[in-house]
Amino acid sequence: MPDSDQTPPDLPTPVMAIESSCDDTACAIVTIDGRIVAETTLTQSGHVPFGGVVPEIAARAHLAALPTLVRDTLAKADMQPHELGAIAASCGPGLIGGLIVGADMGKGMAIALDKPFIAVNHIEAHALTARLPGVAENGAPFPYLLLLVSGGHCQCIAVEGVGHYRRLGGTIDDAAGEAFDKVAKMLGLGWPGGPAVEALAREGDPRAVSLPRPLMGRPGCDFSFSGLKTAVAQKLPVAVRTALPRQEAADIAASFQQAVSDIVIDRLGHALAMMERPTTLVVAGGVAANGVLRASLRDFAARHDLPFAAPPLRLCTDNAVMVAWAAIETMRARREAGLPIPNDIALRPRPRWPLAEMAQRMTADLLETTP
């Protein structure tokens, strides 16, 4: 549960949220106390022939799917649009075409219904998911250490409060999920690569193939996966990359997966030393679904006497529930600070939206309201 049980009674509820930052089109309705009334998610399939997300295809698919998803979500909730209290949407970071589609849909609904529109930072939504009631046993009180690992992001973040985030380190090249996708393509496994590599790795020996652990042991908690990906490519004879003996391919998959896990655990150890004692270790993002990584993270948390929180798999990947909850946390924090509910109709979607700007935004609003 949130740190404060005193929820202001006049916060608009429920919140309908839209997520369209990459290749998942999602809509959800969540109440102010975190109850998920309804959720609908569509994972796009049009990218499979290309082995990765094609931004233009993603934007067009969002545009085609969103009206139906909104109607379906309202039907699941047995609600009429006027019963919604507020509308939220991911407005960055992400693929700009998809962000524009989702944000414009949300803004249009907010204007038509005369409801506030709340622009949500996609990374902040991932960061706050652990505070959704029922996810973490102790409610993930601040401050906690977040590991965000996905197809587009790999970061260690000190989550010190709503709107208050300190980036401890991040990838200097590829994200972990991107590396999984590219290794899967090398092995002829198709896309998305994460689940395919993990499935094949179960048949392999994680010690069979010698692979590097980039940046391991170095100061700080930045990540690098480009060299690891290149090392995998060098283990594959070009002429037979899509026709390796299954055992050989399984050994490569298992060794790569273990290398990623080893890198992450090493970097987390450094991140832990860079912040005051966190209350919890939280993991989020699509790669958090990987079983080997989750097991390593649980062991790491246990060694450091830290509670470990991982959202359900459907809330680790991009989803609209986390967007709605981030909007709710923002409204609650602003009201407790004496600020009005935001109405972000004028805010433009952004492909890059640093978390550091969340605190600056709150501070600027406080200064405007101070006599």
Side-chain angles (χ1 to χ4, degrees), residues 75-310:
K76 286 181 182 179
D78 193 21
M79 293 179 62
Q80 296 299 315
H82 70 269
E83 296 178 88
L84 298 170
I87 310 295
S90 290
C91 287
L95 302 178
I96 190 61
L99 291 170
I100 290 172
V101 170
D104 282 0
M105 180 78 179
K107 290 178 181 181
M109 290 182 64
I111 292 170
L113 298 170
D114 194 24
K115 307 290 184 181
F117 174 77
I118 301 159
V120 172
N121 183 297
H122 178 83
I123 302 300
E124 183 173 34
H126 275 302
L128 295 174
T129 302
R131 289 171 52 81
L132 189 69
V135 171
E137 186 174 342
N138 63 351
F142 302 121
Y144 55 85
L145 174 58
L146 169 70
L147 169 68
L148 176 60
V149 276
S150 68
H153 307 282
C154 190
Q155 301 180 41
C156 290
I157 301 168
V159 182
E160 298 170 338
V162 177
H164 296 278
Y165 312 97
R166 192 156 49 91
R167 185 180 184 273
L168 304 174
T171 182
I172 60 175
D173 41 56
D174 294 347
E178 181 183 357
F180 267 96
D181 284 342
K182 289 179 177 176
V183 167
K185 189 172 184 178
M186 294 177 200
L187 296 174
L189 300 178
W191 181 88
V197 169
E198 183 177 13
L200 181 60
R202 295 190 189 104
E203 304 173 28
D205 179 356
R207 299 175 301 275
V209 180
S210 177
L211 292 172
R213 270 70 169 161
L215 299 186
M216 194 162 168
R218 295 191 186 182
C221 61
D222 284 337
F223 299 83
S224 173
F225 296 103
S226 179
L228 174 59
K229 177 191 65 182
T230 300
V232 170
Q234 291 173 343
K235 300 291 182 182
L236 305 174
V238 175
V240 294
R241 281 187 184 176
T242 58
L244 284 175
R246 186 166 183 87
Q247 188 58 54
E248 186 176 341
D251 287 343
I252 290 173
S255 299
F256 164 76
Q257 181 176 252
Q258 187 61 52
V260 171
S261 179
D262 291 346
I263 292 167
V264 168
I265 296 303
D266 173 78
R267 303 285 81 196
L268 266 182
H270 289 254
L272 195 59
M274 295 169 67
M275 65 180 293
E276 293 183 15
R277 175 72 180 176
T279 65
T280 314
L281 172 62
V282 174
V283 62
V287 181
N290 182 277
V292 168
L293 179 58
R294 277 208 180 205
S296 296
L297 291 170
R298 286 186 186 279
D299 289 345
F300 175 88
R303 289 198 306 273
H304 293 276
D305 195 26
L306 277 175
F308 175 67

